[in-house]
Amino acid sequence: MTVNQKAVKVLNKIFEAGFTEEKTIAAMTMDEILAIPGITIADIGQINRLQKSIRANRVVSFFADQVEGE
């Protein structure tokens, strides 16, 4: 199993923006996501997948790039 490095980079951006808990990440609004410095369209897609993974209790699968249904 390899770690999805793109997901790690996006998570670092999220942490730097002050979202450091699963609950706050899952609750991020589009306005909050768009306010993150250096955010890209691809990053937004990764954040969406991360939010879905948090809600489904599948965070490890997200970082292993093995989210079901994706």
Side-chain angles (χ1 to χ4, degrees):
M1 173 173 61
T2 61
V3 176
N4 180 344
Q5 292 302 316
K6 292 178 185 177
V8 173
K9 289 178 184 179
V10 169
L11 187 63
N12 282 327
K13 288 182 183 182
I14 292 170
F15 284 167
E16 289 172 7
F19 300 93
T20 57
E21 297 178 7
E22 288 182 342
K23 184 177 179 178
T24 58
I25 294 169
M28 289 173 67
T29 66
M30 186 56 69
D31 287 339
E32 291 170 328
I33 293 169
L34 293 172
I36 297 172
I39 202 75
T40 67
I41 302 260
D43 293 342
I44 293 170
Q46 288 285 332
I47 293 169
N48 182 296
R49 287 184 56 228
L50 175 57
Q51 289 176 319
K52 289 178 183 178
S53 295
I54 290 169
R55 290 182 192 117
N57 296 315
R58 308 268 310 161
V59 176
V60 172
S61 295
F62 171 78
F63 285 105
D65 204 20
Q66 297 176 356
V67 177
E68 292 178 19
E70 298 285 324

Tab-separated table of all heavy atoms in Angstrom:
chain	number	residue	atom	x	y	z
A	1	MET	N	0.849	-1.171	0.000
A	1	MET	CA	0.000	0.000	0.000
A	1	MET	C	0.899	1.240	0.000
A	1	MET	O	1.857	1.319	0.747
A	1	MET	CB	-0.888	-0.021	1.249
A	1	MET	CG	-1.689	1.229	1.429
A	1	MET	SD	-2.907	1.193	2.765
A	1	MET	CE	-1.928	0.923	4.184
A	2	THR	N	0.588	2.166	-0.878
A	2	THR	CA	1.343	3.412	-0.935
A	2	THR	C	0.486	4.567	-0.433
A	2	THR	O	-0.739	4.517	-0.488
A	2	THR	CB	1.792	3.714	-2.382
A	2	THR	OG1	0.632	3.853	-3.194
A	2	THR	CG2	2.680	2.625	-2.918
A	3	VAL	N	1.143	5.605	0.041
A	3	VAL	CA	0.444	6.784	0.548
A	3	VAL	C	0.199	7.743	-0.607
A	3	VAL	O	1.091	8.015	-1.406
A	3	VAL	CB	1.279	7.475	1.652
A	3	VAL	CG1	0.612	8.754	2.105
A	3	VAL	CG2	1.489	6.536	2.817
A	4	ASN	N	-1.028	8.250	-0.675
A	4	ASN	CA	-1.408	9.223	-1.694
A	4	ASN	C	-0.787	10.571	-1.327
A	4	ASN	O	-1.289	11.282	-0.466
A	4	ASN	CB	-2.937	9.310	-1.764
A	4	ASN	CG	-3.420	10.288	-2.795
A	4	ASN	OD1	-2.693	11.134	-3.286
A	4	ASN	ND2	-4.699	10.184	-3.123
A	5	GLN	N	0.318	10.925	-1.984
A	5	GLN	CA	1.049	12.144	-1.650
A	5	GLN	C	0.239	13.410	-1.939
A	5	GLN	O	0.391	14.415	-1.244
A	5	GLN	CB	2.389	12.181	-2.392
A	5	GLN	CG	3.364	11.134	-1.911
A	5	GLN	CD	3.683	11.239	-0.437
A	5	GLN	OE1	3.908	12.312	0.102
A	5	GLN	NE2	3.674	10.103	0.247
A	6	LYS	N	-0.627	13.373	-2.937
A	6	LYS	CA	-1.479	14.529	-3.217
A	6	LYS	C	-2.418	14.791	-2.045
A	6	LYS	O	-2.645	15.935	-1.659
A	6	LYS	CB	-2.288	14.309	-4.495
A	6	LYS	CG	-1.445	14.292	-5.745
A	6	LYS	CD	-2.290	14.012	-6.968
A	6	LYS	CE	-1.404	13.885	-8.192
A	6	LYS	NZ	-2.179	13.549	-9.390
A	7	ALA	N	-2.934	13.727	-1.467
A	7	ALA	CA	-3.827	13.855	-0.312
A	7	ALA	C	-3.076	14.443	0.882
A	7	ALA	O	-3.617	15.275	1.605
A	7	ALA	CB	-4.426	12.497	0.041
A	8	VAL	N	-1.841	14.037	1.073
A	8	VAL	CA	-1.035	14.558	2.174
A	8	VAL	C	-0.786	16.051	1.987
A	8	VAL	O	-0.900	16.837	2.933
A	8	VAL	CB	0.296	13.784	2.297
A	8	VAL	CG1	1.217	14.427	3.323
A	8	VAL	CG2	0.035	12.325	2.651
A	9	LYS	N	-0.479	16.471	0.768
A	9	LYS	CA	-0.245	17.899	0.493
A	9	LYS	C	-1.502	18.718	0.755
A	9	LYS	O	-1.432	19.810	1.322
A	9	LYS	CB	0.237	18.089	-0.947
A	9	LYS	CG	1.641	17.593	-1.178
A	9	LYS	CD	2.068	17.755	-2.616
A	9	LYS	CE	3.446	17.160	-2.821
A	9	LYS	NZ	3.894	17.263	-4.201
A	10	VAL	N	-2.648	18.197	0.351
A	10	VAL	CA	-3.905	18.899	0.590
A	10	VAL	C	-4.181	18.973	2.085
A	10	VAL	O	-4.603	20.015	2.602
A	10	VAL	CB	-5.075	18.219	-0.163
A	10	VAL	CG1	-6.415	18.782	0.282
A	10	VAL	CG2	-4.902	18.403	-1.658
A	11	LEU	N	-3.922	17.897	2.809
A	11	LEU	CA	-4.143	17.901	4.248
A	11	LEU	C	-3.254	18.943	4.924
A	11	LEU	O	-3.693	19.638	5.836
A	11	LEU	CB	-3.892	16.519	4.843
A	11	LEU	CG	-4.263	16.376	6.313
A	11	LEU	CD1	-5.763	16.596	6.521
A	11	LEU	CD2	-3.872	15.010	6.819
A	12	ASN	N	-2.030	19.093	4.461
A	12	ASN	CA	-1.142	20.116	5.017
A	12	ASN	C	-1.724	21.513	4.800
A	12	ASN	O	-1.669	22.355	5.692
A	12	ASN	CB	0.254	20.015	4.420
A	12	ASN	CG	1.056	18.885	5.032
A	12	ASN	OD1	0.897	18.567	6.202
A	12	ASN	ND2	1.905	18.269	4.233
A	13	LYS	N	-2.283	21.768	3.625
A	13	LYS	CA	-2.919	23.063	3.360
A	13	LYS	C	-4.094	23.290	4.299
A	13	LYS	O	-4.294	24.395	4.811
A	13	LYS	CB	-3.409	23.148	1.907
A	13	LYS	CG	-2.317	23.276	0.877
A	13	LYS	CD	-2.913	23.394	-0.519
A	13	LYS	CE	-1.846	23.447	-1.587
A	13	LYS	NZ	-2.423	23.607	-2.942
A	14	ILE	N	-4.878	22.238	4.519
A	14	ILE	CA	-6.035	22.334	5.412
A	14	ILE	C	-5.572	22.643	6.838
A	14	ILE	O	-6.129	23.512	7.509
A	14	ILE	CB	-6.857	21.027	5.369
A	14	ILE	CG1	-7.523	20.871	4.000
A	14	ILE	CG2	-7.904	21.018	6.479
A	14	ILE	CD1	-8.147	19.501	3.785
A	15	PHE	N	-4.536	21.944	7.297
A	15	PHE	CA	-4.002	22.180	8.642
A	15	PHE	C	-3.484	23.611	8.775
A	15	PHE	O	-3.733	24.274	9.782
A	15	PHE	CB	-2.880	21.202	8.973
A	15	PHE	CG	-3.328	19.807	9.304
A	15	PHE	CD1	-2.404	18.786	9.359
A	15	PHE	CD2	-4.657	19.500	9.560
A	15	PHE	CE1	-2.781	17.495	9.685
A	15	PHE	CE2	-5.057	18.208	9.879
A	15	PHE	CZ	-4.108	17.205	9.942
A	16	GLU	N	-2.755	24.079	7.766
A	16	GLU	CA	-2.212	25.436	7.797
A	16	GLU	C	-3.320	26.484	7.835
A	16	GLU	O	-3.125	27.578	8.373
A	16	GLU	CB	-1.293	25.667	6.599
A	16	GLU	CG	0.017	24.913	6.690
A	16	GLU	CD	0.847	24.982	5.425
A	16	GLU	OE1	0.481	25.724	4.487
A	16	GLU	OE2	1.869	24.274	5.365
A	17	ALA	N	-4.484	26.157	7.286
A	17	ALA	CA	-5.623	27.074	7.298
A	17	ALA	C	-6.374	27.026	8.630
A	17	ALA	O	-7.336	27.767	8.826
A	17	ALA	CB	-6.572	26.747	6.147
A	18	GLY	N	-5.941	26.144	9.544
A	18	GLY	CA	-6.526	26.097	10.871
A	18	GLY	C	-7.573	25.022	11.099
A	18	GLY	O	-8.171	24.950	12.170
A	19	PHE	N	-7.798	24.176	10.121
A	19	PHE	CA	-8.746	23.064	10.264
A	19	PHE	C	-7.936	21.826	10.653
A	19	PHE	O	-7.288	21.222	9.812
A	19	PHE	CB	-9.509	22.833	8.960
A	19	PHE	CG	-10.312	24.030	8.527
A	19	PHE	CD1	-9.780	24.970	7.664
A	19	PHE	CD2	-11.596	24.220	9.000
A	19	PHE	CE1	-10.516	26.073	7.261
A	19	PHE	CE2	-12.354	25.318	8.614
A	19	PHE	CZ	-11.803	26.258	7.744
A	20	THR	N	-7.986	21.487	11.940
A	20	THR	CA	-7.085	20.444	12.431
A	20	THR	C	-7.798	19.234	13.028
A	20	THR	O	-7.131	18.322	13.517
A	20	THR	CB	-6.134	21.024	13.497
A	20	THR	OG1	-6.920	21.591	14.551
A	20	THR	CG2	-5.229	22.087	12.891
A	21	GLU	N	-9.104	19.216	13.004
A	21	GLU	CA	-9.851	18.084	13.532
A	21	GLU	C	-10.789	17.542	12.461
A	21	GLU	O	-11.270	18.290	11.613
A	21	GLU	CB	-10.669	18.505	14.762
A	21	GLU	CG	-9.817	18.978	15.913
A	21	GLU	CD	-10.650	19.425	17.092
A	21	GLU	OE1	-11.884	19.238	17.070
A	21	GLU	OE2	-10.059	19.970	18.028
A	22	GLU	N	-11.054	16.235	12.519
A	22	GLU	CA	-11.945	15.620	11.539
A	22	GLU	C	-13.295	16.323	11.482
A	22	GLU	O	-13.835	16.554	10.411
A	22	GLU	CB	-12.130	14.135	11.834
A	22	GLU	CG	-10.917	13.303	11.519
A	22	GLU	CD	-11.138	11.830	11.777
A	22	GLU	OE1	-12.090	11.468	12.501
A	22	GLU	OE2	-10.359	11.033	11.236
A	23	LYS	N	-13.824	16.668	12.649
A	23	LYS	CA	-15.138	17.314	12.716
A	23	LYS	C	-15.141	18.642	11.961
A	23	LYS	O	-16.074	18.923	11.203
A	23	LYS	CB	-15.525	17.533	14.185
A	23	LYS	CG	-16.894	18.103	14.383
A	23	LYS	CD	-17.224	18.214	15.871
A	23	LYS	CE	-18.590	18.814	16.085
A	23	LYS	NZ	-18.948	18.881	17.501
A	24	THR	N	-14.109	19.445	12.142
A	24	THR	CA	-14.073	20.743	11.460
A	24	THR	C	-13.790	20.597	9.968
A	24	THR	O	-14.312	21.363	9.164
A	24	THR	CB	-13.042	21.698	12.104
A	24	THR	OG1	-11.747	21.100	12.072
A	24	THR	CG2	-13.421	22.041	13.524
A	25	ILE	N	-12.987	19.606	9.611
A	25	ILE	CA	-12.710	19.367	8.188
A	25	ILE	C	-13.976	18.902	7.480
A	25	ILE	O	-14.310	19.389	6.402
A	25	ILE	CB	-11.569	18.348	8.006
A	25	ILE	CG1	-10.250	18.935	8.519
A	25	ILE	CG2	-11.439	17.934	6.535
A	25	ILE	CD1	-9.127	17.927	8.630
A	26	ALA	N	-14.703	17.990	8.100
A	26	ALA	CA	-15.936	17.477	7.503
A	26	ALA	C	-16.984	18.577	7.344
A	26	ALA	O	-17.809	18.530	6.430
A	26	ALA	CB	-16.502	16.336	8.339
A	27	ALA	N	-16.929	19.590	8.210
A	27	ALA	CA	-17.927	20.656	8.194
A	27	ALA	C	-17.501	21.874	7.367
A	27	ALA	O	-18.255	22.847	7.274
A	27	ALA	CB	-18.224	21.094	9.623
A	28	MET	N	-16.337	21.816	6.745
A	28	MET	CA	-15.864	22.968	5.961
A	28	MET	C	-16.854	23.312	4.846
A	28	MET	O	-17.333	22.425	4.145
A	28	MET	CB	-14.498	22.661	5.323
A	28	MET	CG	-13.359	22.602	6.290
A	28	MET	SD	-11.823	22.032	5.507
A	28	MET	CE	-11.483	23.396	4.413
A	29	THR	N	-17.102	24.603	4.699
A	29	THR	CA	-17.978	25.067	3.625
A	29	THR	C	-17.143	25.376	2.387
A	29	THR	O	-15.920	25.502	2.466
A	29	THR	CB	-18.731	26.335	4.043
A	29	THR	OG1	-17.775	27.405	4.209
A	29	THR	CG2	-19.530	26.123	5.325
A	30	MET	N	-17.815	25.532	1.262
A	30	MET	CA	-17.102	25.872	0.033
A	30	MET	C	-16.381	27.210	0.178
A	30	MET	O	-15.249	27.363	-0.302
A	30	MET	CB	-18.060	25.902	-1.159
A	30	MET	CG	-17.364	26.111	-2.480
A	30	MET	SD	-16.049	24.911	-2.868
A	30	MET	CE	-16.988	23.450	-3.122
A	31	ASP	N	-16.994	28.178	0.843
A	31	ASP	CA	-16.344	29.472	1.060
A	31	ASP	C	-15.049	29.306	1.852
A	31	ASP	O	-14.039	29.931	1.535
A	31	ASP	CB	-17.277	30.442	1.788
A	31	ASP	CG	-18.399	30.956	0.891
A	31	ASP	OD1	-18.257	30.907	-0.347
A	31	ASP	OD2	-19.410	31.414	1.448
A	32	GLU	N	-15.075	28.458	2.876
A	32	GLU	CA	-13.872	28.212	3.673
A	32	GLU	C	-12.804	27.502	2.848
A	32	GLU	O	-11.618	27.826	2.947
A	32	GLU	CB	-14.224	27.388	4.914
A	32	GLU	CG	-15.060	28.143	5.922
A	32	GLU	CD	-15.612	27.278	7.035
A	32	GLU	OE1	-15.898	26.069	6.787
A	32	GLU	OE2	-15.764	27.800	8.148
A	33	ILE	N	-13.224	26.575	2.026
A	33	ILE	CA	-12.273	25.852	1.168
A	33	ILE	C	-11.636	26.811	0.166
A	33	ILE	O	-10.419	26.818	-0.021
A	33	ILE	CB	-12.968	24.680	0.443
A	33	ILE	CG1	-13.391	23.614	1.472
A	33	ILE	CG2	-12.056	24.073	-0.620
A	33	ILE	CD1	-14.309	22.548	0.913
A	34	LEU	N	-12.443	27.645	-0.456
A	34	LEU	CA	-11.927	28.579	-1.455
A	34	LEU	C	-11.020	29.641	-0.852
A	34	LEU	O	-10.192	30.223	-1.561
A	34	LEU	CB	-13.082	29.234	-2.209
A	34	LEU	CG	-13.892	28.297	-3.105
A	34	LEU	CD1	-15.117	29.013	-3.653
A	34	LEU	CD2	-13.028	27.741	-4.224
A	35	ALA	N	-11.134	29.894	0.442
A	35	ALA	CA	-10.309	30.889	1.117
A	35	ALA	C	-8.920	30.364	1.471
A	35	ALA	O	-8.044	31.135	1.874
A	35	ALA	CB	-11.011	31.382	2.378
A	36	ILE	N	-8.687	29.068	1.299
A	36	ILE	CA	-7.380	28.479	1.609
A	36	ILE	C	-6.373	28.953	0.557
A	36	ILE	O	-6.610	28.801	-0.648
A	36	ILE	CB	-7.450	26.943	1.633
A	36	ILE	CG1	-8.394	26.461	2.738
A	36	ILE	CG2	-6.052	26.340	1.806
A	36	ILE	CD1	-8.673	24.967	2.713
A	37	PRO	N	-5.258	29.539	1.005
A	37	PRO	CA	-4.249	30.019	0.052
A	37	PRO	C	-3.708	28.887	-0.823
A	37	PRO	O	-3.424	27.795	-0.345
A	37	PRO	CB	-3.143	30.574	0.949
A	37	PRO	CG	-3.807	30.855	2.259
A	37	PRO	CD	-4.889	29.816	2.384
A	38	GLY	N	-3.605	29.149	-2.109
A	38	GLY	CA	-3.015	28.197	-3.045
A	38	GLY	C	-3.901	27.024	-3.414
A	38	GLY	O	-3.425	26.066	-4.012
A	39	ILE	N	-5.170	27.098	-3.099
A	39	ILE	CA	-6.085	25.980	-3.386
A	39	ILE	C	-6.312	25.869	-4.894
A	39	ILE	O	-6.403	26.874	-5.586
A	39	ILE	CB	-7.412	26.144	-2.605
A	39	ILE	CG1	-8.134	24.805	-2.444
A	39	ILE	CG2	-8.318	27.151	-3.250
A	39	ILE	CD1	-7.535	23.923	-1.440
A	40	THR	N	-6.375	24.644	-5.385
A	40	THR	CA	-6.630	24.407	-6.807
A	40	THR	C	-7.912	23.605	-6.965
A	40	THR	O	-8.432	23.064	-5.984
A	40	THR	CB	-5.471	23.611	-7.450
A	40	THR	OG1	-5.462	22.294	-6.893
A	40	THR	CG2	-4.128	24.288	-7.246
A	41	ILE	N	-8.371	23.492	-8.189
A	41	ILE	CA	-9.571	22.686	-8.457
A	41	ILE	C	-9.317	21.231	-8.049
A	41	ILE	O	-10.172	20.591	-7.451
A	41	ILE	CB	-9.954	22.753	-9.952
A	41	ILE	CG1	-10.194	24.185	-10.356
A	41	ILE	CG2	-11.102	21.818	-10.266
A	41	ILE	CD1	-11.595	24.657	-10.451
A	42	ALA	N	-8.138	20.722	-8.348
A	42	ALA	CA	-7.800	19.347	-7.962
A	42	ALA	C	-7.813	19.198	-6.442
A	42	ALA	O	-8.273	18.177	-5.917
A	42	ALA	CB	-6.435	18.958	-8.520
A	43	ASP	N	-7.333	20.225	-5.728
A	43	ASP	CA	-7.353	20.193	-4.264
A	43	ASP	C	-8.782	20.136	-3.742
A	43	ASP	O	-9.074	19.408	-2.790
A	43	ASP	CB	-6.667	21.426	-3.677
A	43	ASP	CG	-5.174	21.483	-3.941
A	43	ASP	OD1	-4.572	20.436	-4.284
A	43	ASP	OD2	-4.603	22.586	-3.804
A	44	ILE	N	-9.669	20.886	-4.362
A	44	ILE	CA	-11.073	20.892	-3.946
A	44	ILE	C	-11.655	19.485	-4.085
A	44	ILE	O	-12.371	19.009	-3.207
A	44	ILE	CB	-11.891	21.927	-4.743
A	44	ILE	CG1	-11.421	23.340	-4.381
A	44	ILE	CG2	-13.392	21.772	-4.486
A	44	ILE	CD1	-11.974	24.425	-5.280
A	45	GLY	N	-11.324	18.807	-5.154
A	45	GLY	CA	-11.768	17.424	-5.340
A	45	GLY	C	-11.230	16.513	-4.244
A	45	GLY	O	-11.946	15.659	-3.717
A	46	GLN	N	-9.958	16.702	-3.879
A	46	GLN	CA	-9.357	15.905	-2.805
A	46	GLN	C	-10.040	16.190	-1.467
A	46	GLN	O	-10.296	15.268	-0.687
A	46	GLN	CB	-7.851	16.203	-2.681
A	46	GLN	CG	-7.018	15.658	-3.799
A	46	GLN	CD	-6.820	14.159	-3.685
A	46	GLN	OE1	-6.835	13.575	-2.607
A	46	GLN	NE2	-6.632	13.510	-4.815
A	47	ILE	N	-10.343	17.461	-1.209
A	47	ILE	CA	-11.023	17.827	0.038
A	47	ILE	C	-12.402	17.194	0.085
A	47	ILE	O	-12.824	16.669	1.122
A	47	ILE	CB	-11.091	19.358	0.205
A	47	ILE	CG1	-9.684	19.921	0.414
A	47	ILE	CG2	-12.016	19.741	1.360
A	47	ILE	CD1	-9.589	21.432	0.337
A	48	ASN	N	-13.087	17.200	-1.029
A	48	ASN	CA	-14.414	16.577	-1.089
A	48	ASN	C	-14.309	15.092	-0.747
A	48	ASN	O	-15.097	14.561	0.029
A	48	ASN	CB	-15.023	16.803	-2.477
A	48	ASN	CG	-16.406	16.231	-2.606
A	48	ASN	OD1	-16.601	15.028	-2.520
A	48	ASN	ND2	-17.375	17.093	-2.841
A	49	ARG	N	-13.339	14.409	-1.338
A	49	ARG	CA	-13.123	12.984	-1.045
A	49	ARG	C	-12.761	12.765	0.414
A	49	ARG	O	-13.223	11.824	1.048
A	49	ARG	CB	-12.023	12.411	-1.935
A	49	ARG	CG	-12.446	12.227	-3.373
A	49	ARG	CD	-11.371	11.555	-4.234
A	49	ARG	NE	-10.974	10.287	-3.658
A	49	ARG	CZ	-9.694	9.919	-3.485
A	49	ARG	NH1	-8.718	10.712	-3.858
A	49	ARG	NH2	-9.399	8.749	-2.959
A	50	LEU	N	-11.926	13.675	0.966
A	50	LEU	CA	-11.551	13.574	2.376
A	50	LEU	C	-12.772	13.732	3.267
A	50	LEU	O	-12.958	12.955	4.214
A	50	LEU	CB	-10.496	14.625	2.727
A	50	LEU	CG	-10.094	14.715	4.203
A	50	LEU	CD1	-9.577	13.376	4.716
A	50	LEU	CD2	-9.074	15.821	4.395
A	51	GLN	N	-13.616	14.700	2.970
A	51	GLN	CA	-14.828	14.899	3.766
A	51	GLN	C	-15.716	13.659	3.726
A	51	GLN	O	-16.228	13.220	4.757
A	51	GLN	CB	-15.598	16.125	3.271
A	51	GLN	CG	-14.914	17.438	3.606
A	51	GLN	CD	-15.635	18.632	3.026
A	51	GLN	OE1	-16.101	18.613	1.886
A	51	GLN	NE2	-15.712	19.699	3.810
A	52	LYS	N	-15.886	13.075	2.552
A	52	LYS	CA	-16.682	11.848	2.433
A	52	LYS	C	-16.045	10.709	3.222
A	52	LYS	O	-16.741	9.929	3.879
A	52	LYS	CB	-16.821	11.442	0.963
A	52	LYS	CG	-17.717	12.340	0.145
A	52	LYS	CD	-17.751	11.877	-1.298
A	52	LYS	CE	-18.580	12.779	-2.186
A	52	LYS	NZ	-18.544	12.322	-3.592
A	53	SER	N	-14.727	10.614	3.177
A	53	SER	CA	-14.020	9.555	3.890
A	53	SER	C	-14.157	9.720	5.396
A	53	SER	O	-14.313	8.733	6.119
A	53	SER	CB	-12.541	9.552	3.505
A	53	SER	OG	-12.395	9.232	2.142
A	54	ILE	N	-14.095	10.957	5.869
A	54	ILE	CA	-14.268	11.207	7.307
A	54	ILE	C	-15.658	10.767	7.734
A	54	ILE	O	-15.818	10.068	8.741
A	54	ILE	CB	-14.037	12.700	7.628
A	54	ILE	CG1	-12.560	13.056	7.467
A	54	ILE	CG2	-14.531	13.033	9.045
A	54	ILE	CD1	-12.275	14.547	7.502
A	55	ARG	N	-16.663	11.158	6.976
A	55	ARG	CA	-18.045	10.815	7.327
A	55	ARG	C	-18.274	9.299	7.311
A	55	ARG	O	-19.083	8.779	8.072
A	55	ARG	CB	-19.014	11.506	6.380
A	55	ARG	CG	-19.059	13.006	6.586
A	55	ARG	CD	-20.069	13.684	5.666
A	55	ARG	NE	-19.864	15.112	5.697
A	55	ARG	CZ	-19.505	15.853	4.654
A	55	ARG	NH1	-19.329	15.286	3.465
A	55	ARG	NH2	-19.343	17.146	4.777
A	56	ALA	N	-17.543	8.597	6.456
A	56	ALA	CA	-17.701	7.140	6.334
A	56	ALA	C	-16.704	6.376	7.203
A	56	ALA	O	-16.627	5.146	7.119
A	56	ALA	CB	-17.533	6.727	4.872
A	57	ASN	N	-15.929	7.114	8.030
A	57	ASN	CA	-14.900	6.494	8.873
A	57	ASN	C	-13.910	5.676	8.036
A	57	ASN	O	-13.556	4.553	8.387
A	57	ASN	CB	-15.531	5.619	9.968
A	57	ASN	CG	-16.351	6.428	10.935
A	57	ASN	OD1	-15.909	7.489	11.378
A	57	ASN	ND2	-17.549	5.967	11.233
A	58	ARG	N	-13.481	6.252	6.923
A	58	ARG	CA	-12.558	5.570	6.005
A	58	ARG	C	-11.334	6.434	5.697
A	58	ARG	O	-10.835	6.456	4.574
A	58	ARG	CB	-13.272	5.224	4.692
A	58	ARG	CG	-14.573	4.474	4.811
A	58	ARG	CD	-14.490	3.000	4.752
A	58	ARG	NE	-13.702	2.580	3.607
A	58	ARG	CZ	-13.166	1.396	3.511
A	58	ARG	NH1	-13.344	0.517	4.465
A	58	ARG	NH2	-12.466	1.054	2.472
A	59	VAL	N	-10.813	7.136	6.690
A	59	VAL	CA	-9.708	8.067	6.468
A	59	VAL	C	-8.441	7.349	6.018
A	59	VAL	O	-7.752	7.820	5.112
A	59	VAL	CB	-9.451	8.921	7.730
A	59	VAL	CG1	-8.247	9.830	7.538
A	59	VAL	CG2	-10.687	9.751	8.056
A	60	VAL	N	-8.144	6.216	6.606
A	60	VAL	CA	-6.946	5.473	6.207
A	60	VAL	C	-7.047	5.075	4.737
A	60	VAL	O	-6.087	5.201	3.977
A	60	VAL	CB	-6.719	4.243	7.115
A	60	VAL	CG1	-5.599	3.377	6.566
A	60	VAL	CG2	-6.402	4.690	8.525
A	61	SER	N	-8.215	4.641	4.313
A	61	SER	CA	-8.411	4.280	2.907
A	61	SER	C	-8.206	5.487	1.998
A	61	SER	O	-7.665	5.367	0.902
A	61	SER	CB	-9.815	3.715	2.695
A	61	SER	OG	-9.963	2.504	3.391
A	62	PHE	N	-8.619	6.662	2.457
A	62	PHE	CA	-8.421	7.885	1.676
A	62	PHE	C	-6.935	8.118	1.433
A	62	PHE	O	-6.508	8.374	0.319
A	62	PHE	CB	-9.034	9.089	2.404
A	62	PHE	CG	-8.683	10.410	1.784
A	62	PHE	CD1	-9.320	10.843	0.638
A	62	PHE	CD2	-7.719	11.227	2.348
A	62	PHE	CE1	-8.993	12.050	0.049
A	62	PHE	CE2	-7.393	12.438	1.782
A	62	PHE	CZ	-8.032	12.852	0.625
A	63	PHE	N	-6.130	8.001	2.478
A	63	PHE	CA	-4.692	8.239	2.329
A	63	PHE	C	-3.992	7.116	1.599
A	63	PHE	O	-2.916	7.320	1.041
A	63	PHE	CB	-4.046	8.522	3.683
A	63	PHE	CG	-4.370	9.891	4.164
A	63	PHE	CD1	-5.280	10.079	5.174
A	63	PHE	CD2	-3.804	11.003	3.578
A	63	PHE	CE1	-5.615	11.352	5.604
A	63	PHE	CE2	-4.131	12.269	3.979
A	63	PHE	CZ	-5.036	12.459	5.005
A	64	ALA	N	-4.605	5.953	1.562
A	64	ALA	CA	-4.044	4.838	0.797
A	64	ALA	C	-4.566	4.882	-0.638
A	64	ALA	O	-4.240	4.027	-1.440
A	64	ALA	CB	-4.416	3.521	1.446
A	65	ASP	N	-5.380	5.894	-0.935
A	65	ASP	CA	-5.957	6.078	-2.268
A	65	ASP	C	-6.814	4.868	-2.662
A	65	ASP	O	-6.795	4.405	-3.788
A	65	ASP	CB	-4.877	6.337	-3.310
A	65	ASP	CG	-5.427	7.076	-4.523
A	65	ASP	OD1	-6.488	7.711	-4.415
A	65	ASP	OD2	-4.785	7.019	-5.590
A	66	GLN	N	-7.587	4.349	-1.698
A	66	GLN	CA	-8.412	3.175	-1.930
A	66	GLN	C	-9.848	3.408	-1.470
A	66	GLN	O	-10.471	2.527	-0.915
A	66	GLN	CB	-7.850	1.970	-1.183
A	66	GLN	CG	-6.482	1.570	-1.638
A	66	GLN	CD	-5.929	0.448	-0.802
A	66	GLN	OE1	-6.518	0.004	0.173
A	66	GLN	NE2	-4.763	-0.035	-1.182
A	67	VAL	N	-10.390	4.613	-1.691
A	67	VAL	CA	-11.750	4.906	-1.257
A	67	VAL	C	-12.727	4.181	-2.153
A	67	VAL	O	-12.639	4.233	-3.372
A	67	VAL	CB	-12.018	6.431	-1.290
A	67	VAL	CG1	-13.464	6.720	-0.912
A	67	VAL	CG2	-11.066	7.156	-0.361
A	68	GLU	N	-13.672	3.460	-1.538
A	68	GLU	CA	-14.657	2.709	-2.302
A	68	GLU	C	-15.563	3.654	-3.059
A	68	GLU	O	-15.917	4.715	-2.581
A	68	GLU	CB	-15.499	1.845	-1.363
A	68	GLU	CG	-14.714	0.737	-0.735
A	68	GLU	CD	-15.543	-0.080	0.232
A	68	GLU	OE1	-16.777	-0.030	0.149
A	68	GLU	OE2	-14.934	-0.760	1.068
A	69	GLY	N	-15.975	3.268	-4.247
A	69	GLY	CA	-16.900	4.055	-5.049
A	69	GLY	C	-16.266	5.201	-5.781
A	69	GLY	O	-16.912	6.011	-6.379
A	70	GLU	N	-14.942	5.312	-5.728
A	70	GLU	CA	-14.242	6.407	-6.419
A	70	GLU	C	-13.535	5.862	-7.626
A	70	GLU	O	-13.089	4.788	-7.684
A	70	GLU	CB	-13.218	7.072	-5.479
A	70	GLU	CG	-13.857	7.702	-4.288
A	70	GLU	CD	-14.573	9.009	-4.579
A	70	GLU	OE1	-14.080	9.771	-5.427
A	70	GLU	OE2	-15.620	9.247	-4.019
